[in-house]
Amino acid sequence: MIWDSERFWQKAKAHMLFATSGDRQAWERSFWRALGLEFLLRAALTKIHPALNADPQNEGVNLLYAFGISIKGEPRSIPIHAVTARLEKIVERFQKPQREFCDYFMLKRNEECHTCESPFEAMSESKWLPQFYEICEVLNEHLDKDLQMFFGDAEAATAGQLILAKNTQKHGDVMKKINSHRLVF
């Protein structure tokens, strides 16, 4: 079966290893992270059932494959934006902001693969990495795994610190807005 949750997770983990090795300033790190994220998203969806990854077109032939029925030709999976839309409905902590980030990141991956542009060269990790790590945490929790298993000790520690800083900053921003509105009322 080409849609296996554990195998998708292992593939995502391997791509994250590529992303964390080498030059910390290299744009390729972001590209490897984008590829790994797609596999992690598909792992999370496939955990529910492989049929959720099957493209329902062509009279459901791909769905038949997902249920173990032999088909002619190669089975097709759904586009990644459909994966994120389904996860938003299924995984409680995977909400609209997470889906929107993933959809944006996958568009950048497509731009890298299908155009002569290099979008990752212009993307500063500091602007998106905390949200990326948080999404990885959410998806790994859904898969009954943790960030240490996924990234290893050092990267998981960094991820934890960035997630905490992101959430602390959000909390501070919310409190500032509440206080400013208190003054008005």
Side-chain angles (χ1 to χ4, degrees):
M1 169 66 70
I2 63 169
W3 299 315
D4 177 80
S5 183
E6 182 62 24
R7 288 176 57 204
F8 269 134
W9 185 81
Q10 290 293 337
K11 196 171 183 179
K13 183 177 171 180
H15 281 72
M16 292 306 166
L17 183 61
F18 287 131
T20 58
S21 60
D23 180 10
R24 296 195 71 69
Q25 301 302 317
W27 66 268
E28 293 93 341
R29 291 169 51 91
S30 301
F31 180 64
W32 286 115
R33 288 184 199 278
L35 292 174
L37 180 59
E38 177 168 354
F39 298 128
L40 185 58
L41 289 161
R42 291 189 185 277
L45 189 62
T46 303
K47 179 185 178 198
I48 313 299
H49 196 280
L52 291 171
N53 258 311
D55 185 341
Q57 303 299 316
N58 197 16
E59 298 177 5
V61 168
N62 303 305
L63 290 167
L64 295 174
Y65 173 81
F67 283 98
I69 298 169
S70 295
I71 64 168
K72 290 182 182 176
E74 290 293 316
R76 293 185 53 121
S77 59
I78 57 174
I80 194 65
H81 69 85
V83 171
T84 59
R86 290 176 182 189
L87 285 171
E88 184 182 2
K89 291 173 176 57
I90 296 168
V91 178
E92 186 176 323
R93 287 189 55 214
F94 190 85
Q95 298 169 351
K96 185 176 180 180
Q98 287 78 22
R99 179 183 51 81
E100 288 173 344
F101 172 84
C102 290
D103 289 346
Y104 169 78
F105 210 50
M106 294 302 108
L107 285 173
K108 293 299 173 190
R109 189 244 9 231
N110 286 347
E111 189 178 332
E112 180 68 43
C113 291
H114 302 288
T115 74
C116 59
E117 300 298 317
S118 298
F120 292 114
E121 286 182 356
M123 292 177 66
S124 172
E125 278 190 353
S126 64
K127 298 206 186 307
W128 58 265
L129 197 56
Q131 187 170 10
F132 173 84
Y133 281 142
E134 186 175 53
I135 290 166
C136 289
E137 180 181 60
V138 167
L139 296 171
N140 274 287
E141 274 181 16
H142 172 70
L143 292 164
D144 300 319
K145 300 185 185 291
D146 61 36
L147 290 180
Q148 276 187 303
M149 296 167 72
F150 191 60
F151 288 120
D153 292 339
E155 189 79 8
T158 300
Q161 291 169 350
L162 288 176
I163 293 167
L164 180 63
K166 174 187 172 287
N167 292 333
T168 302
Q169 180 183 358
K170 262 189 193 175
H171 179 74
D173 292 345
V174 168
M175 293 309 291
K176 284 180 189 175
K177 285 184 181 181
I178 290 170
N179 288 333
S180 67
H181 287 296
R182 274 191 187 138
L183 296 174
V184 174
F185 294 105

